[in-house]
């Protein structure tokens, strides 16, 4: 790994030196990930935050201040990115709650009726499937079993499981689409 001074790092990033940028990424990404993870408590989100910070660093390379240590800049940028994401999520939640509160009771009743009607259509379509086909579909979709587990439990081949699933999905799709 390159051992560079803060000035060399800033000059390298400003000149868009990929080797310097890569060295900075390798050196600082793990600590940035740890910072992000403390805020968002999710590995994928933390990785996304780190990627966002480095993307913004690359895009705004010419604005990088050579007086600020790069590790401080990256840490602050990571915290700000996390806080912005958290605020955005909170605004989404508030908006969703407001929508629920401002929706009229008639809207809620209508949605509930539509949901119940759709569920009844689904149940009816499911009941019309051949027994083995319905059993395979329910084991897959409702119990979450894999095709191999279903094949083993029902003592049928895995290809038969796939055939039943395909049949069930086609028939359910036809029934539910024609009802709309």
């Amino acid at each position: 790994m390159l051992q560079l001074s803060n000035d060399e790092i800033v000059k390298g990033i400003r000149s868009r030196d990929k080797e310097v940028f890569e060295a900075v990424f390798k050196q600082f990404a793990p600590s940035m990930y740890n910072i992000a993870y403390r805020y968002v408590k999710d590995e994928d989100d933390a990785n996304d935050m780190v990627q966002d910070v480095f993307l913004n660093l690359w895009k705004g390379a010419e604005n990088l201040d050579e007086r600020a240590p790069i590790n401080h800049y990256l840490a602050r940028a990571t915290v700000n990115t996390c806080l912005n994401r958290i605020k955005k999520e909170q605004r989404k939640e508030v908006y969703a709650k407001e929508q629920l509160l401002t929706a009229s009771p008639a809207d809620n009743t209508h949605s509930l009726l539509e949901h119940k009607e759709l569920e009844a259509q689904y149940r009816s379509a499911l009941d019309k499937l051949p027994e083995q086909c319905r059993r395979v579909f329910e084991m897959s979709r409702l119990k979450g079993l894999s095709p191999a587990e279903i094949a083993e439990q029902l003592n049928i081949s895995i290809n038969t499981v796939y055939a039943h699933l395909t049949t069930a999905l086609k028939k359910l799709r036809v029934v539910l689409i024609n009802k709309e």
Side-chain angles (χ1 to χ4, degrees):
M1 186 182 317
L2 292 175
Q3 291 296 337
L4 302 170
S5 70
N6 196 66
D7 286 341
E8 292 171 320
I9 290 172
V10 171
K11 287 176 186 170
I13 292 173
R14 280 184 173 173
S15 66
R16 306 222 189 264
D17 184 327
K18 290 180 183 178
E19 194 174 307
V20 170
F21 191 80
E22 190 174 307
V24 169
F25 181 85
K26 286 179 182 176
Q27 182 177 351
F28 295 107
S31 60
M32 292 169 61
Y33 170 84
N34 290 334
I35 292 169
Y37 187 80
R38 276 188 260 144
Y39 281 89
V40 297
K41 306 281 190 269
D42 181 86
E43 291 177 9
D44 291 333
D45 284 345
N47 280 320
D48 287 347
M49 306 277 176
V50 172
Q51 294 296 324
D52 287 348
V53 170
F54 275 103
L55 180 62
N56 289 333
L57 175 65
W58 185 259
K59 285 180 179 177
E62 61 279 351
N63 299 324
L64 197 56
D65 184 0
E66 68 273 353
R67 296 171 297 190
I70 192 72
N71 60 331
H72 293 178
Y73 170 83
L74 292 172
R76 178 80 310 206
T78 303
V79 169
N80 289 342
T81 301
C82 292
L83 292 175
N84 289 339
R85 177 84 57 97
I86 290 168
K87 285 177 189 174
K88 183 178 179 182
E89 292 302 317
Q90 287 173 340
R91 283 192 303 268
K92 281 183 185 178
E93 287 177 24
V94 167
Y95 179 76
K97 286 178 185 175
E98 286 174 356
Q99 291 301 312
L100 284 175
L101 293 174
T102 59
S104 71
D107 290 342
N108 290 340
T109 304
H110 183 68
S111 294
L112 184 60
L113 288 173
E114 282 181 346
H115 177 73
K116 284 186 177 187
E117 184 179 320
L118 185 59
E119 189 174 337
Q121 291 171 357
Y122 169 74
R123 273 276 143 220
S124 174
L126 204 55
D127 290 341
K128 291 178 185 171
L129 292 175
E131 185 179 339
Q132 184 78 334
C133 186
R134 182 180 43 77
R135 186 179 304 137
V136 168
F137 181 81
E138 287 176 339
M139 291 174 83
S140 171
R141 296 306 193 265
L142 302 179
K143 293 182 181 176
L145 298 177
S146 71
E149 292 169 323
I150 296 169
E152 184 179 320
Q153 284 188 18
L154 297 179
N155 199 25
I156 58 177
S157 76
I158 197 162
N159 289 333
T160 303
V161 171
Y162 285 123
H164 282 307
L165 288 173
T166 301
T167 300
L169 288 171
K170 282 181 182 176
K171 288 184 177 186
L172 289 172
R173 197 175 293 125
V174 166
V175 170
L176 294 175
I177 288 175
N178 289 337
K179 295 280 183 174
E180 291 182 354

